[in-house]
Amino acid sequence: MLVDEKTVVDSLRRVIDPDLKTDIVSLGMVKELKVEDGKVQFTLELTTPACPYNKDIEDSARKAVQSIPGVKEVDMKVTARVWSARTLGAGDSLSSVKNVIAVASGKGGVGKTTVAINLACSLARSGAKVGLVDADIYGPMIPKIVNIIQPPRIVANNKVEPARIMLGIKVMSLGLFVDENTAVIWRGPLVASAVRQLLTDAAWGDLDYLIVDLPPGTGDASLTLAQTIPLTGVVIVTTPQAAAAVIAAKALRMFRRLGIPIIGIVENMSYFVCSHCGAESRMFGNSVTEKMASELDAPLLGRIPLMPEVSTNYDKGVPIVVADPKSPASKALNEISRNIAARISILAHESKAKAEKM
């Protein structure tokens, strides 16, 4: 039986992206299709290398073509091109950055920086191009807890080439330019200016994801970020206690009022995992995060266990997802990064659909 391109395309239309609820042909994920003498060649371009359903989509696409009578061979190349969920305005200084993700919390001590760094590493391990901004002006921590492989330097047009850490991640932090023993005693306008410069004075180049680790609360840094560049969305980090959830909810509502999409909520220190027997203990009692997420109509992206190894590896300058990828904390963080990547693809798809209707 003679196989033609139309038959192959029709068969691939039966493959549905589980997140986007649309077939892969309509999504433009099928590229460079060639059919000759029963041999089918095409490229499957996924929406992100970190999607949790990538393997399912790959297998379904291959089976859909193999099931066509007359097909003798299937040569499917798999690539990924991250979709942008940002609405770029005129003169956007970060036009080469596809997605800017703020990581925020209502209060300190919930592990927001831990989530931000490991999210960056997890996305980079999947094959994405990633940058990381430490926007905590008063207490910049990132240069202290990751090994700097290449320091920042001045390049053309008085731009700064960001520092590099593992996995090729680009990093900007005030801690790279100020002595760690020097206290930053600045009022609001200077803080806002510093955050703006960390973002816009850096030569980021092409990035799929730029993670911005915000200071706790809803102050100058958060407002400056929201008003300086279009954001893809925000991830809110909290812990299981009711008090932490109340403050996290306030932060979420603030971003929502500013028109920033909510990517979801991450619960850190959800439970303690015994290193000897693997038993789980709820150190902070029953969690209220799921109830909060439901009330605020925000996705719960995942829960991260409390493990001493996270802290001890920080002291060595290596995030847990790199130091011990098979640990319970790493598995939770990797799942969260995949869920975030999937949410961003959904936001990008929804944004594109709205634009087409206008």
Coordinates of all heavy atoms in Angstrom, one line a residue, residues 38 46 59 61 86 92 122 286 302 320 337 352:
G38 N 7.9 3.9 1.6 CA 7.5 3.2 2.9 C 8.3 3.7 4.1 O 8.1 3.3 5.2
L46 N 9.2 19.2 20.5 CA 8.5 19.3 21.8 C 8.5 20.7 22.3 O 9.4 21.5 21.9 CB 9.1 18.4 22.8 CG 9.1 16.9 22.4 CD1 10.0 16.1 23.3 CD2 7.7 16.3 22.4
D59 N 6.5 8.2 22.2 CA 6.1 6.9 22.0 C 4.8 6.8 21.2 O 4.6 6.0 20.3 CB 5.8 6.1 23.3 CG 7.1 5.9 24.1 OD1 8.2 6.0 23.4 OD2 7.1 5.6 25.3
A61 N 3.6 9.1 19.1 CA 3.9 9.6 17.7 C 4.5 8.5 16.9 O 4.1 8.2 15.7 CB 4.8 10.8 17.7
R86 N 5.7 35.0 27.6 CA 5.8 36.4 27.9 C 5.3 37.3 26.8 O 5.4 37.0 25.6 CB 7.3 36.9 28.1 CG 8.0 36.3 29.3 CD 9.1 37.1 29.8 NE 10.1 37.5 28.8 CZ 10.6 38.7 28.6 NH1 10.2 39.7 29.4 NH2 11.5 38.9 27.7
D92 N 11.6 46.0 25.0 CA 11.9 45.0 26.0 C 13.4 44.7 26.0 O 13.9 44.2 25.1 CB 11.0 43.8 25.8 CG 11.1 42.8 27.0 OD1 12.1 42.7 27.6 OD2 10.1 42.2 27.3
S122 N 17.8 21.9 37.6 CA 17.0 20.9 37.0 C 16.6 21.2 35.6 O 16.7 20.3 34.7 CB 15.7 20.7 37.9 OG 14.9 19.6 37.4
N286 N 0.1 18.5 60.2 CA -0.7 18.4 58.9 C -0.6 19.7 58.1 O -0.7 20.8 58.6 CB -2.1 18.0 59.2 CG -2.3 16.7 59.8 OD1 -1.5 15.7 59.5 ND2 -3.3 16.5 60.7
G302 N 4.1 20.7 43.9 CA 4.8 19.6 44.5 C 5.2 19.9 45.9 O 5.1 21.0 46.4
I320 N 21.4 20.0 45.5 CA 21.1 18.6 45.8 C 20.7 17.9 44.5 O 21.1 16.7 44.3 CB 20.0 18.4 46.8 CG1 19.8 17.0 47.2 CG2 18.7 19.0 46.3 CD1 20.9 16.4 48.0
S337 N 10.1 20.9 38.7 CA 10.6 21.7 37.5 C 9.9 21.2 36.3 O 9.6 22.1 35.4 CB 12.1 21.5 37.4 OG 12.4 20.2 36.8
K352 N -1.2 32.4 23.1 CA -1.3 32.4 21.6 C -2.7 32.3 21.1 O -3.1 33.0 20.2 CB -0.4 31.2 21.1 CG -0.4 31.2 19.6 CD 0.4 30.0 19.1 CE 0.5 29.9 17.6 NZ 1.2 28.7 17.2

